[in-house]
Amino acid sequence: MTKGQGKIGPILTDSLWLHGGTPLEIYQTVRDGVPSKGMPPWGPALGRASVLQLTAFVLSIRDSNVPGKPAEGQPVTAAVSPSP
């Protein structure tokens, strides 16, 4: 089973990001959601620790380039951001 291939939302395994690809931006996207794109805020349901774990998972699969939908977004190079 592949992970992050983007069957519903954007692909998470390349270097292009629609809503920001820094660790802090990914954390904020998971926590706050993107209501205009149909993504609910997961922060209230998951809590801070789980949102941090999910952020770490998303970062761990970045640039693994598994097959999926065509890439979308802007290129982001891996960079260290302050903790949320």
Side-chain angles (χ1 to χ4, degrees):
M1 175 179 192
T2 58
K3 298 175 185 170
Q5 66 269 33
K7 298 235 183 217
I8 296 174
I11 191 165
L12 300 175
T13 63
D14 60 15
S15 61
L16 300 180
W17 295 83
L18 290 172
H19 307 291
T22 68
L24 181 57
E25 291 168 326
I26 294 168
Y27 175 88
Q28 290 170 333
T29 299
V30 173
R31 181 191 66 198
D32 302 333
V34 184
S36 65
K37 298 288 186 173
M39 180 182 168
W42 288 103
L46 296 178
R48 185 177 186 276
S50 292
V51 172
L52 285 168
Q53 290 177 330
L54 184 52
T55 301
F57 170 74
V58 170
L59 289 166
S60 78
I61 63 173
R62 181 190 347 226
D63 295 326
S64 61
N65 297 309
V66 298
K69 291 172 36 178
E72 305 174 77
Q74 301 298 314
V76 175
T77 55
V80 176
S81 291
S83 298

